[in-house]
Amino acid sequence: MSLLNKLLKPVLNWFIIKQAKQNLPNYNDSLICSAIEGHVEIIRDKWAVPHIYAENQSDLFFAQGFVHAQDRLWQMELTRRVVSGRVSEIVGVDALDVDRLTRILGFKALGEKDVLRFKENALFPIIESYVNGINFFIENCPHLPVEFKLLKFKPELWSIADCFGMSRLLAMQMSQGFLHELERMGLVDKFGLEKASEIFPEYPTSNPVSLMFGNETNRIIDGKLEAFKGPYLQSLGGSNNWVVAPHKMEHGAAALCNDPHLLIGTPNIWYENHLITPDYENTGVSIPGVPLVLIGHNRNIAWGATLTYADIQDTFIEKFTGPNCLQYRYGDRILKSVVHEETIKIKGRITPHIEKVIQTHHGPVIMAIDDTTKISLCSNALNDNEMIIGFYDLNMAKGWDDFVGACSKLTIPSLNLVYADTDNNIGYFMTGEVPIRSQNKGLIPSNGFDAQQEWTGRVPFSEMPHVFNPDQGYFYTCNNKIVGDDYPYDLGNIWMNGYRAKRLEALLNSKEKFNFDDFANWQLDFYCEPGLQFAAYLNDLKNNLALEQLAGRVKTTADLLIDWDGFLTADCIGGTIYQVLKQQLIDLIFVKSNTIRGKVTNTEISIFDITEFFGHDTTTILKLLNNPRSCWWEVTPQQTLILALVNTEAFLTTNVGADFNSWKWGKLHKIKSKHALGVKKPLDEIFDIGNVAIGGDTDTLCQVAFLPGKHYGGSMVAASYRQLIDMGDFSNSKCIAPIGQSGNLESPHYQDQFDMWIKGEYKPMIWSKEQLENYTLYKTSLRPE
C-alpha cells in the first residue's frame, strides 16, 4: 500500500463506517404505503432472511422489491448501470469497455422493447408492483448506502424496463458459445491449425476448420470483450445438482440438492427470500432487481439449476463492401446494416465517448478484424424470449406437466433443471433453444458472407434431453456432457471436463440408501481425480527409472505428490505440489514463448487464462505428456517435467517456506469475496470479506476455482448457494449462502453466513410459520392508507 493510501485509510474507514451506520435499515418498523391493497407482514429470521406474508401477489411483490432495495440498493444500481452502459458515469474510464460492450449488445433497449411486448401480459402488473416497492424505498430512504456517498451521486427511480434489461443481462451471462469461437480463432491464427487443434478440448484434429478467410488477426479478443473478465461483467460459472428417488433415501422421501458455482462477490449475487400469499408460496433465492424465486421450492415442487454449456451462440464473419460502408455481403446479395451512435459519459472527462453500433441481420457487430471484415454476434439472449414468464410458471407449478410447460418458455438461458415433487417423483429437463446449424459446428466463427452457414431451426422442445423417474433412482448434472454421441442433434463441444460428474456418480453408487448428512459432505468434497492421474503419471516415470536424476529436495517434492491421497483440502501438501507443478508446466510449454498479444488491449494472454480452457488444463497437459511427438515440445516431455519439478520446489520454498510441512494448499489458495469498489485501494481492505484458506479447485465436487489468469488467491468461482431439500418435510430442508443478506458493511448480516459456509455448515430453510417463530428476529409491517 502506498504512503498516500496508508494516510487515507483511517479517514476513509471512519467516514465509511459512520455513513454505513446511518444507513442501517430499520427492520422493526411500521410503514404506510398507498400502493398496496392489504396488510403485508415482513418477518426476518436470525439471518435477516425476509419471510413475506401478503394477502395478494401484487402486494407480495411490492414487498419483495422493497426488501431487495432495503438490503441491496447499491448492488442493484451497479447492475442497472452495467445493463444500460452507464458505469463510466460514476467510476470513470476504467469502466468504458463495459459500457461500450453493453451499449452494443443493447440490453437497455431490449428491456424497453420487452415492456411493450409484455404490457398486456398477466405478469406485467406483478412486475410493476415489484418496481413500485423498489421506488417506495428509494423515495423514503433517509440515508443512501455509503457507496452512493463515496461516488457522489443519487439513484434514479427504478423502471419496469430496468427489470427486463437485467433479465437480458442474466440471460447473456448464462449463455455459452461465442467467446469460445473467438478464442479458438485466435489460436488458429497464432499457431496454425495443427498446433492449435492439439490443445483444443475434445476437438479432434481430423475435423475441418472452416475459418479460412485469409486474415492473420494474431489476437484473441477485442478490448471491449475483455469486459467479460472484469469486475463488473462476468460470465457465470459452473454448478452441481442432483435428485434422488425415495427408495434411495433412508427416510423414504425424494431429495433435491443444488450448489450453483458462481463468482463469489460482496454482496452475494443471490438474495434469499420466502414469499407467501394464499395462492403462491415459494422460498429460495432471487436476484435483486428481478422479482420471483429463481432456485428453490414451492408448496408442490422443488428445482435446482446448473448451466448446460450447450453451444447456443454463434459469431459470424461479415464482409463489408468497403471501409466505413454500411453494406455487407450475404451470398450473392448486398444487405444494409443499421447503424446508430451511443453517447457514453465518462466521469472526469468533458468529452463523452461515441460508440458506433452496427447491427446486421445476424446481430450486433462486436469486433473488427480489419476495415471491411467484422464479427457479429447471434444470440438468443438478444432475441425475443419469455424467460421471466417461464420462471413465474416455474414458481406456480404444481407437478411435472406444469414444470415441463415452464421449461418450454425458458428458451433462454440453457439450463439443466432437476425436479422433485411432494408425490416423490424426480426428473430433469434441459431448457434453452439450441440452434440447428447448416454446416459449421459452432467451434469457430461462421462465414456470414457466404450465406451457407446459417441457423436452420432449433432442436424441437419435445426432443430436448429430459427424464422422468429414471430407473437408477437418481439424476445429476455438473456442467458435463449430457447426451451420448447417438443423440440426433449437435449440442456443441464446450462442456466442462466431467471430473466433478465422475466423482458425483461414484458417490451416488457408493451405497444403497442415503441421508442428508451424505449430501452435505458431498457439497464439501475435495477429491481431485485429475490430480491423482497426474500423480500416477509421475509414479510411472519413477518406476521406469525416468526420474533417477532427481535428488534432494526435488526428489522429496516428487515423492510427496506421488504419495498424495487425492483430497485437495486446505491442509494437504501433495495437492499443493500438484497445483504448482501444473502451473509450472503450463509456463514452460505455453506461456514463455507462446503468449497471444491482443491488438486492441496490447496485453499478453496465457493460453490457459482464456475461458475456452477453463478446467481443461490438466487433461490437455496429460494428453501432451503422453504424446512425445507433439509439436508443442521443444525438449522431451520428461526433460520438461523434471525442469518443472525443479521450478516447483524453488517456487514453494521461496513463496511458502523451506519446511515441506508448511506447503499447505490453503497458504496459496485463499478465498476473498471482493466488493466492486475494492478494485481501488484502500477500499478493498474496508469492503472485501475473507482471504481465508480453503480447499478445492475447478475439478473437485466442491468447486473453489481461481478465475482464469488468477493463479493464486483472490476472487474465486465457488458455491454461491447450497440447498438440500427434503420433499417429505420441507421444514427439514437446509441451505447456506457464502456471505450474508445485507449489503451494508456495518450490518450484523453483512457476512454472518461466511464462517458457516467455509466450514460446510447449514442453516434451516425455514418453511412453516411455527418453525419461523423459533428464529424470528425482526418484524416490519406495511399497511395501505
Side-chain angles (χ1 to χ4, degrees):
M1 184 185 295
S2 68
L3 177 60
L4 179 61
N5 282 338
K6 286 182 180 179
L7 294 173
L8 277 176
K9 184 185 174 184
V11 178
L12 265 176
N13 196 55
W14 170 83
F15 173 79
I16 289 170
I17 289 175
K18 178 185 176 183
Q19 295 295 326
K21 285 181 177 177
Q22 286 182 349
N23 184 54
L24 283 171
N26 182 4
Y27 289 154
N28 291 303
D29 205 353
S30 181
L31 300 170
I32 302 299
C33 311
S34 60
I36 61 175
E37 300 174 4
H39 176 223
V40 178
E41 187 177 31
I42 303 170
I43 304 175
R44 290 180 182 264
D45 60 32
K46 64 182 290 187
W47 296 278
V49 174
H51 304 257
I52 304 174
Y53 294 84
E55 297 170 13
N56 58 72
Q57 290 190 29
S58 178
D59 291 353
L60 177 73
F61 289 107
F62 177 95
Q64 188 188 27
F66 173 78
V67 297
H68 276 177
Q70 193 177 38
D71 286 328
R72 301 285 187 87
L73 183 61
W74 159 251
Q75 180 186 35
M76 294 164 64
E77 175 65 22
L78 182 60
T79 308
R80 174 168 66 164
R81 285 183 172 271
V82 170
V83 167
S84 58
R86 296 179 58 195
V87 185
S88 299
E89 287 183 22
I90 59 172
V91 304
V93 71
D94 288 350
L96 180 58
D97 282 345
V98 174
D99 289 344
R100 290 178 62 205
L101 179 58
T102 54
R103 295 289 183 104
I104 289 170
L105 297 178
F107 298 131
K108 176 68 172 178
L110 290 168
E112 292 168 348
K113 180 183 176 183
D114 288 340
V115 171
L116 299 177
R117 285 199 308 119
F118 290 105
K119 202 167 184 65
E120 303 304 319
N121 190 279
L123 186 61
F124 193 84
I126 287 176
I127 302 172
E128 190 172 31
S129 294
Y130 174 80
V131 169
N132 290 339
I134 296 171
N135 289 334
F136 177 78
F137 177 80
I138 293 174
E139 291 174 321
N140 293 277
C141 175
H143 299 285
L144 290 169
V146 65
E147 292 91 342
F148 291 98
K149 301 288 182 67
L150 287 171
L151 295 174
K152 299 178 181 179
F153 79 101
K154 295 181 179 180
E156 300 164 1
L157 292 179
W158 211 262
S159 72
I160 298 173
D162 292 327
C163 292
F164 280 115
M166 283 189 65
S167 70
R168 292 288 193 156
L169 171 65
L170 290 170
M172 178 61 74
Q173 289 178 302
M174 290 187 284
S175 299
Q176 305 290 332
F178 89 92
L179 286 175
H180 301 78
E181 295 177 10
L182 298 179
E183 288 157 356
R184 287 176 184 251
M185 177 185 74
L187 290 175
V188 172
D189 283 347
K190 173 68 178 180
F191 304 118
L193 173 61
E194 180 183 0
K195 193 169 185 178
S197 61
E198 271 201 68
I199 59 171
F200 283 173
E202 301 184 355
Y203 185 70
T205 58
S206 57
N207 283 358
V209 174
S210 57
L211 181 64
M212 296 298 178
F213 54 90
N215 287 310
E216 289 295 323
T217 63
N218 198 28
R219 63 158 169 213
I220 278 276
I221 292 178
D222 185 295
K224 58 183 170 289
L225 299 187
E226 290 291 327
F228 276 111
K229 301 176 184 179
Y232 306 112
L233 183 63
Q234 291 272 351
S235 295
L236 301 185
S239 302
N240 306 318
N241 61 21
W242 63 93
V243 280
V244 179
H247 70 272
K248 299 282 288 183
M249 296 297 298
E250 290 179 0
H251 72 304
L256 183 145
C257 307
N258 190 198
D259 51 307
H261 303 160
L262 305 173
L263 180 69
I264 304 301
T266 300
N268 190 27
I269 186 174
W270 301 113
Y271 182 89
E272 189 182 351
N273 35 215
H274 182 192
L275 312 176
I276 309 103
T277 68
D279 64 344
Y280 174 104
E281 184 170 11
N282 278 266
T283 188
V285 289
S286 58
I287 289 182
V290 180
L292 307 173
V293 169
L294 301 185
I295 296 175
H297 72 81
N298 61 25
R299 291 168 180 151
N300 304 103
I301 77 161
W303 69 96
T306 71
L307 297 182
T308 65
Y309 278 76
D311 190 349
I312 60 172
Q313 298 176 314
D314 276 339
T315 50
F316 286 86
I317 301 159
E318 312 287 6
K319 289 284 193 178
F320 283 73
T321 55
N324 301 316
C325 288
L326 302 182
Q327 292 81 16
Y328 61 100
R329 304 184 188 282
Y330 182 63
D332 57 2
R333 300 164 58 193
I334 300 294
L335 304 182
K336 187 177 181 179
S337 61
V338 177
V339 179
H340 74 276
E341 292 184 345
E342 293 281 339
T343 301
I344 303 174
K345 298 178 182 178
I346 305 169
K347 184 177 181 179
R349 290 188 178 180
I350 297 174
T351 305
H353 173 82
I354 306 300
E355 186 69 29
K356 185 179 179 181
V357 179
I358 303 172
Q359 188 82 21
T360 73
H361 74 287
H362 291 125
V365 169
I366 56 173
M367 64 181 285
I369 300 298
D370 55 36
D371 289 343
T372 60
T373 308
K374 306 180 190 299
I375 292 183
S376 64
L377 170 64
C378 186
S379 171
N380 281 330
L382 306 179
N383 298 332
D384 290 348
N385 64 74
E386 296 182 309
M387 183 176 81
I388 199 164
I389 296 175
F391 274 108
Y392 178 75
D393 288 354
L394 198 57
N395 281 204
M396 296 294 291
K398 295 181 179 179
W400 174 253
D401 290 343
D402 291 343
F403 171 77
V404 173
C407 290
S408 71
K409 294 179 180 177
L410 291 173
T411 56
I412 194 77
S414 184
L415 299 173
N416 291 312
L417 290 183
V418 291
Y419 165 94
D421 63 34
T422 51
D423 290 329
N424 282 318
N425 298 301
I426 64 171
Y428 157 82
F429 221 108
M430 177 188 284
T431 72
E433 286 190 345
V434 180
I436 297 174
R437 299 171 171 91
S438 57
Q439 290 185 15
N440 193 353
K441 296 297 184 181
L443 296 173
I444 42 84
S446 302
N447 290 336
F449 54 83
D450 67 10
Q452 300 297 312
Q453 300 182 14
E454 299 297 297
W455 291 2
T456 59
R458 57 161 285 184
V459 177
F461 176 74
S462 61
E463 296 182 50
M464 290 289 283
H466 63 277
V467 65
F468 184 64
N469 288 331
D471 292 340
Q472 70 267 30
Y474 63 79
F475 192 84
Y476 66 87
T477 74
C478 303
N479 317 117
N480 54 299
K481 186 175 181 180
I482 293 297
V483 294
D485 292 338
D486 57 347
Y487 182 69
Y489 300 100
D490 180 17
L491 300 182
N493 193 37
I494 55 176
W495 322 98
M496 294 293 281
N497 61 32
Y499 283 116
R500 282 184 285 118
K502 183 177 181 180
R503 175 61 172 171
L504 183 54
E505 184 174 66
L507 291 169
L508 285 164
N509 286 298
S510 62
K511 60 181 187 177
E512 287 300 314
K513 291 182 181 289
F514 304 101
N515 56 52
F516 284 99
D517 288 340
D518 294 323
F519 299 156
N521 289 333
W522 298 359
Q523 288 187 335
L524 209 70
D525 184 89
F526 291 130
Y527 181 77
C528 183
E529 168 81 16
L532 277 185
Q533 291 181 13
F534 211 91
Y537 176 87
L538 198 62
N539 191 43
D540 288 343
L541 291 180
K542 179 181 178 181
N543 292 336
N544 292 328
L545 306 179
L547 302 181
E548 277 188 318
Q549 59 185 287
L550 296 184
R553 291 180 61 85
V554 178
K555 181 179 183 301
T556 303
T557 300
D559 289 340
L560 286 169
L561 173 52
I562 290 169
D563 294 338
W564 175 46
D565 64 2
F567 285 91
L568 194 58
T569 62
D571 291 330
C572 77
I573 295 170
T576 310
I577 297 168
Y578 156 64
Q579 292 286 338
V580 176
L581 177 61
K582 180 174 66 172
Q583 188 57 48
Q584 294 298 325
L585 279 167
I586 290 171
D587 290 345
L588 289 171
I589 301 169
F590 304 107
V591 176
K592 289 184 177 179
S593 60
N594 290 320
T595 51
I596 302 167
R597 184 172 291 277
K599 283 185 177 177
V600 177
T601 58
N602 200 35
T603 56
E604 291 191 346
I605 306 167
S606 164
I607 287 173
F608 286 98
D609 290 351
I610 58 180
T611 56
E612 165 71 10
F613 298 95
F614 184 55
H616 291 280
D617 48 3
T618 302
T619 52
T620 301
I621 293 170
L622 285 169
K623 181 169 66 174
L624 293 180
L625 288 172
N626 286 299
N627 179 18
R629 296 181 179 274
S630 168
C631 56
W632 287 95
W633 296 117
E634 296 179 1
V635 296
T636 68
Q638 288 80 6
Q639 289 173 316
T640 306
L641 183 60
I642 289 168
L643 180 55
L645 279 167
V646 172
N647 292 347
T648 297
E649 187 278 329
F651 176 90
L652 287 169
T653 300
T654 301
N655 292 278
V656 181
D659 185 356
F660 290 112
N661 291 322
S662 69
W663 291 4
K664 296 181 179 180
W665 181 221
K667 293 284 187 71
L668 297 175
H669 195 247
K670 295 182 178 181
I671 190 166
K672 179 182 284 189
S673 180
K674 294 186 177 182
H675 189 281
L677 295 189
V679 297
K680 296 290 186 182
K681 294 184 177 297
L683 294 177
D684 58 330
E685 297 187 28
I686 299 172
F687 285 103
D688 292 355
I689 294 171
N691 203 30
V692 174
I694 192 169
D697 69 356
T698 190
D699 297 318
T700 54
L701 196 56
C702 180
Q703 181 177 203
V704 188
F706 298 125
L707 293 177
K710 311 294 183 184
H711 303 314
Y712 306 111
S715 298
M716 294 188 188
V717 172
S720 59
Y721 172 67
R722 297 180 183 129
Q723 67 175 17
L724 307 174
I725 299 178
D726 182 351
M727 301 307 298
D729 184 354
F730 286 138
S731 295
N732 289 334
S733 302
K734 302 174 183 178
C735 65
I736 195 69
I739 312 297
Q741 286 283 100
S742 176
N744 186 313
L745 63 86
E746 279 300 293
S747 168
H749 308 292
Y750 185 63
Q751 55 177 313
D752 57 339
Q753 297 184 54
F754 184 70
D755 288 343
M756 297 173 65
W757 179 84
I758 287 285
K759 296 173 184 175
E761 298 173 352
Y762 295 79
K763 63 181 187 60
M765 197 172 180
I766 298 169
W767 182 246
S768 68
K769 202 158 190 178
E770 294 74 24
Q771 185 185 18
L772 178 58
E773 289 175 358
N774 296 323
Y775 294 95
T776 296
L777 199 58
Y778 315 98
K779 290 185 179 180
T780 294
S781 174
L782 304 181
R783 297 182 181 277
E785 286 184 312

